[in-house]
Every structure is written in structure tokens, then in C-alpha cells.
Amino acid sequence: MVKLILRESESIQEAVRRFRKLVERAGIKREMRRREYYEKPSEIRRRARLRAERRARRARLMMVR
């Protein structure tokens, strides 16, 4: 959970800007987008497998160089 305490003599625009940064750093936006639609468990596993394959491919390329 993100908490924002208004500073003395801080404008609303500055507070909103700070709040957006806090939300972005906490990963809340990314999590909301991910949960926006239901994703079948098989799709989650497929995405994880593809991500692992890409990571392994990159690691192999780095070792060759």
C-alpha cells in the first residue's frame, strides 16, 4: 500500500506527481494491468516458459562472445 503524506506548503500538482512516482515504483500499475483480464493458467505457464527460453537464449549468446 502506498502512503503519501502532504508536505507543508506542497501544491496538489506536486503531491499528485509524487503519488504517481510512488505507485509506479511499487509496481501497482503493472499489477493492475496484469489482473485487468482473466488469464488462463495455461497462458500464464506458456508466458513463463517463453520468458525462460528468451533468458536462456540471451545467456547462451553472452557466453559465446
Side-chain angles (χ1 to χ4, degrees):
M1 182 162 68
V2 176
K3 289 186 180 182
L4 179 77
I5 298 170
L6 280 174
R7 296 177 181 155
E8 198 171 317
S9 72
E10 182 177 32
S11 73
I12 298 297
Q13 287 82 10
E14 291 170 345
V16 169
R17 196 174 308 123
R18 268 195 323 125
F19 177 75
R20 284 185 184 151
K21 277 186 185 179
L22 288 171
V23 167
E24 192 70 40
R25 283 190 200 127
I28 294 171
K29 237 174 150 176
R30 189 179 329 121
E31 184 72 16
M32 281 176 50
R33 286 204 184 105
R34 192 177 69 79
R35 291 176 182 237
E36 193 169 4
Y37 302 104
Y38 176 75
E39 189 174 19
K40 292 178 2 182
S42 61
E43 285 295 316
I44 295 171
R45 287 191 302 270
R46 179 179 173 276
R47 218 169 7 88
R49 180 179 51 80
L50 290 173
R51 198 177 317 119
E53 287 174 3
R54 275 189 233 112
R55 200 171 42 242
R57 193 176 309 129
R58 261 190 241 123
R60 274 196 308 264
L61 285 173
M62 290 301 211
M63 291 180 78
V64 172
R65 292 181 183 187

